[in-house]
Amino acid sequence: MRGTSQQALTDAEDRFEPVLAAAGADAATLGDQLFAVVDLLDGNASLRRALTDPGATGEAKAGLVGAVLSGRVDGRVVDLVAGMVRARWAGERDLVEAVDRLGTVAVLASAQAAGELERVEDELFRVDRLLAANRDVRQALGDRTADVARRTTLVRDLLGTKAAAATLTLVTRAVAAPGAAR
């Protein structure tokens, strides 16, 4: 991320931190909704361009966020994304990456609130080791031509009920997200 985008992300993280602290375990829901926003932006180039247009006012872009997201996601997510689009972004992909990053932060904050952050870190490390050691699994999960449902089913089969909810969310997201290879 380049200069202006990095500053916009830092500002968004600073604004979001107290929201996550207050949300506690409910932060996982905020994370899921932020991931839904990422999917929306990934699938809609004209919306991405409109929300990062340097010629449009921050208020106009925030109004567009409100029109698109209000009633569909938590008001805290609407407020966060509206604040983010008021900032300047060096590129439209930077906004998408920033929202995705904050979704991950929210899921991890929920794990921390539930006292499971160490467990999630350990499980993510173990998944990384599994993928490093098993080429067939790595290829099956990374095959972007394969059906998303089949890849996410494989994640659920591998992790099942043994993994924390946050781990399952993050690994499933990495496998299923349109821009996960970023």
Side-chain angles (χ1 to χ4, degrees):
M1 231 178 256
R2 294 174 289 202
T4 57
S5 292
Q6 185 58 53
Q7 184 59 52
L9 173 58
T10 299
D11 293 345
E13 289 171 331
D14 290 345
R15 286 190 316 273
F16 199 40
E17 189 175 314
V19 172
L20 291 176
D26 191 37
T29 301
L30 301 178
D32 289 340
Q33 291 178 1
L34 286 166
F35 291 145
V37 171
V38 169
D39 293 343
L40 173 68
L41 295 173
D42 268 338
N44 193 326
S46 60
L47 179 60
R48 263 193 330 268
R49 280 191 298 276
L51 295 178
T52 57
D53 179 3
T57 68
E59 289 309 309
K61 293 184 282 188
L64 179 56
V65 166
V68 171
L69 298 180
S70 289
R72 292 183 174 91
V73 296
D74 189 289
R76 296 169 289 187
V77 170
V78 176
D79 291 343
L80 174 67
V81 177
M84 292 175 77
V85 300
R86 285 183 179 99
R88 285 187 116 357
W89 294 90
E92 60 187 64
R93 295 295 324 159
D94 289 352
L95 173 64
V96 178
E97 288 178 28
V99 174
D100 188 66
R101 183 171 176 172
L102 292 175
T104 299
V105 167
V107 170
L108 292 172
S110 74
Q112 184 172 19
E116 292 190 325
L117 186 58
E118 268 189 52
R119 175 183 175 192
V120 170
E121 289 172 345
D122 182 57
E123 290 171 350
L124 291 173
F125 177 76
R126 288 173 190 253
V127 168
D128 182 58
R129 301 305 331 139
L130 169 75
L131 294 176
N134 192 321
R135 190 175 113 197
D136 291 339
V137 173
R138 187 174 58 247
Q139 287 178 330
L141 293 176
D143 182 3
R144 297 287 174 220
T145 62
D147 181 51
V148 171
R150 186 170 54 183
R151 293 192 320 254
T152 58
T153 298
L154 179 56
V155 167
R156 291 183 200 293
D157 289 347
L158 287 171
L159 300 180
T161 59
K162 298 173 276 190
T167 304
L168 189 58
T169 296
L170 294 174
V171 174
T172 301
R173 180 71 191 164
V175 167
R182 293 195 275 271

